[in-house]
Amino acid sequence: MGAIFFYIFIYFVGYYASNVLNMLTVRPFITNRYIAALLPVYGVALTHAYVIVSSPPPQSADMTVEYALLVFITLPVVIVTLGAVYFMWNSKGKQDDSSDENAFANASKPSEAAHNEFTNQKEEIQSEVDSVTKEKETNHKM
């Protein structure tokens, strides 16, 4: 249980570090902080796995190297990764909900309806241009 909290802590350190980095740069350097925060988690996990594999287990612990890798590294990293993907997916839904309703309505129209609307606008503009030219022609004749 402690390993899960450790990797969650590492994830949030990476997340907020990427946020600070984005604030220090002129334009956002890291566009997806959810995935970028996983890089320190994977780095710490690989280092942790190397230490577990290269050093002998404690004599008082009755566990194998495979068990230690599974319980203390693989399981927490999978949980943190799934959490990051969930939060990324959840934030995308909030951004879509807060977008302009008109833009959403226009984007959801079928292409045929948008094309018909464009041609109708084009015909209206052409009829206005025609009426203005006729009016100018009648004014010049006088």
Side-chain angles (χ1 to χ4, degrees):
M1 194 71 169
I4 292 174
F5 292 127
F6 173 72
Y7 284 108
I8 289 173
F9 175 75
I10 297 295
Y11 176 78
F12 281 114
V13 166
Y15 181 81
Y16 288 115
S18 64
N19 189 23
V20 168
L21 181 66
N22 278 346
M23 285 191 298
L24 293 176
T25 57
V26 176
R27 60 175 206 198
F29 186 66
I30 299 170
T31 55
N32 192 346
R33 291 182 303 193
Y34 296 103
I35 299 301
L38 288 174
L39 293 177
V41 171
Y42 293 149
V44 169
L46 288 174
T47 306
H48 194 193
Y50 175 75
V51 169
I52 288 176
V53 169
S54 64
S55 65
Q59 293 186 6
S60 63
D62 196 25
M63 68 177 68
T64 64
V65 174
E66 293 84 13
Y67 178 78
L69 288 174
L70 178 70
V71 171
F72 297 120
I73 297 172
T74 306
L75 184 66
V77 168
V78 167
I79 289 173
V80 169
T81 303
L82 289 175
V85 169
Y86 172 74
F87 285 125
M88 182 179 62
W89 174 70
N90 198 17
S91 73
K92 299 282 185 200
K94 288 180 182 177
Q95 289 174 358
D96 290 343
D97 291 343
S98 65
S99 66
D100 188 20
E101 291 179 10
N102 292 334
F104 181 76
N106 289 338
S108 64
K109 286 183 181 178
S111 61
E112 189 174 311
H115 175 70
N116 290 339
E117 183 176 322
F118 176 73
T119 44
N120 289 342
Q121 289 176 352
K122 188 176 175 182
E123 290 171 358
E124 288 176 13
I125 291 172
Q126 186 63 36
S127 66
E128 288 177 13
V129 169
D130 290 340
S131 65
V132 169
T133 54
K134 286 181 183 178
E135 187 175 318
K136 283 183 179 181
E137 289 174 359
T138 57
N139 287 340
H140 286 316
K141 290 180 180 177
M142 293 183 160

